[in-house]
Amino acid sequence: MSLRGKTLDRRSFLTKSAAAAGTLALGGCDGIPTPRLDKIFAASESLTRRAQRLLLSRSALAKEYSEADISPQFRANGTTEPDTPEYRALAETNFIEWRLEVSGLVEQPSQFSLAGLRQLPSRAQITQHDCVEGWSCIGKWRGAQLSAILEQVRLKPEARYIVFRCADALEATLDGSGQYYENIDLVDAFHPQTILAYEMNDKPLPVAHGAPLRLRVERQLGYKMAKYVMQIEAVASFESIAGGKGGYWEDRGYEWYAGI
Ligand SMILES: Nc1nc2c(c(=O)[nH]1)N[C@H]1C(S)=C(S)[C@@H](COP(=O)(O)O)O[C@H]1N2
Ligand SMILES: [Mo]
């Protein structure tokens, strides 16, 4: 599918330009640097060229590996077992009752069972997962292409981001802002390697890795890859969601565009 007409959030390529210009160091858990936007604007004449290059690079495929490269042990990180009664009940019955809810700026809000997702166009890919904490593992993922889901529910023209809401909270808060969530723009949403994975290494996705469904967005760091996805929402802006920065870790200082 063509990327023409898909909106690209300006922040994302400013951040990328900053990274390309070497003004942005990769953030760890603390002390996340902010890109020097003033310097980037000063270099605005080269922005168009950079933007074009970035769009091209963002439609490129992430490197794929062979079966022999698959890590014997794939580390699990963050939540490894959501502890709500709702999630436990779903897991106990093998997620038969689980439904992915797709809502927001779509013509046809829908619910998908796992069996329903398995009928959509799928993709399998062996990729390297890089966590911002400094470890990497190679795994094989199979799942429904997010583009197929979005084509089925039909995005409204105002939709610019796809938000993923997860079953787990990493931090106990009264207002729900400790709930894990993420979002990506439409360039990533329609990228062929962006899948909602229900299998890992040819087996049903284990609970530790996000059962029954987790996002794979292979051009970015691990924290973008929401596990335990319960709900997908198409939005025009993510400013009013939780801390307003686009995801659980973004609200705590990480970059919204975590390109690798
Ligand atoms: N729902 C949810 N998704 C999540 C996390 C989490 O804690 N909760 N952790 C993120 C981080 S930081 C990483 S590195 C990967 C880890 O995926 P893995 O457990 O399959 O290695 O999941 C990401 N997605
Ligand atoms: Mo991570």
Side-chain angles (χ1 to χ4, degrees):
M1 111 118 15
S2 150
L3 293 174
R4 270 187 56 201
K6 302 265 173 275
T7 41
L8 172 64
D9 178 70
R10 195 174 65 171
R11 258 177 55 204
S12 75
F13 67 74
L14 289 177
T15 305
K16 251 316 231 246
S17 305
T23 56
L24 177 67
L26 184 61
C29 294
D30 37 42
I32 311 298
T34 319
R36 288 291 305 273
L37 293 184
D38 52 349
K39 283 199 184 148
I40 296 157
F41 281 121
S44 64
E45 60 177 33
S46 57
L47 200 55
T48 309
R49 246 188 307 123
R50 279 186 189 160
Q52 277 170 354
R53 214 169 34 220
L54 173 60
L55 265 178
L56 274 179
S57 80
R58 285 196 55 196
S59 60
L61 294 180
K63 180 173 172 170
E64 294 190 15
Y65 295 79
S66 72
E67 303 265 347
D69 300 318
I70 294 175
S71 303
Q73 285 273 44
F74 197 110
R75 189 164 152 177
N77 203 34
T79 301
T80 52
E81 193 171 5
D83 57 7
T84 65
E86 294 81 3
Y87 182 86
R88 275 171 205 255
L90 289 168
E92 267 163 29
T93 48
N94 260 323
F95 301 103
I96 286 288
E97 306 288 330
W98 173 91
R99 295 291 180 274
L100 173 70
E101 193 189 316
V102 186
S103 60
L105 297 171
V106 300
E107 301 292 351
Q108 199 183 310
S110 306
Q111 292 199 336
F112 293 86
S113 64
L114 272 178
L117 287 172
R118 281 183 176 273
Q119 280 169 9
L120 293 175
S122 68
R123 194 177 197 282
Q125 56 210 29
I126 301 173
T127 53
Q128 178 168 301
H129 176 107
D130 295 320
C131 175
V132 71
E133 292 163 10
W135 55 269
S136 300
C137 290
I138 292 175
K140 179 175 179 182
W141 308 96
R142 184 191 305 278
Q145 286 183 300
L146 179 57
S147 60
I149 296 174
L150 297 180
E151 272 153 25
Q152 189 150 329
V153 301
R154 299 192 314 268
L155 289 182
K156 292 188 175 172
E158 314 90 86
R160 292 191 62 200
Y161 304 97
I162 308 298
V163 179
F164 304 86
R165 297 183 192 270
C166 307
D168 58 314
L170 272 186
E171 193 183 322
T173 57
L174 289 177
D175 63 358
S177 61
Q179 206 72 21
Y180 206 93
Y181 78 105
E182 258 304 338
N183 87 56
I184 57 176
D185 67 13
L186 298 188
V187 176
D188 274 328
F190 284 90
H191 188 284
Q193 285 171 323
T194 299
I195 60 173
L196 285 163
Y198 41 67
E199 277 180 24
M200 176 188 191
N201 297 339
D202 297 317
K203 296 192 187 78
L205 186 65
V207 165
H209 296 285
L213 196 72
R214 69 104 45 95
L215 177 65
R216 297 298 309 172
V217 43
E218 305 290 358
R219 311 287 313 281
Q220 299 203 51
L221 289 170
Y223 65 84
K224 295 299 289 188
M225 314 221 196
K227 307 196 284 188
Y228 316 110
V229 175
M230 306 299 283
Q231 196 193 341
I232 295 181
E233 194 183 346
V235 299
S237 150
F238 50 82
E239 272 162 32
S240 60
I241 300 171
K245 299 291 198 300
Y248 177 89
W249 283 116
E250 288 86 333
D251 286 341
R252 288 154 183 81
Y254 283 22
E255 293 296 333
W256 173 80
Y257 190 80
I260 46 177

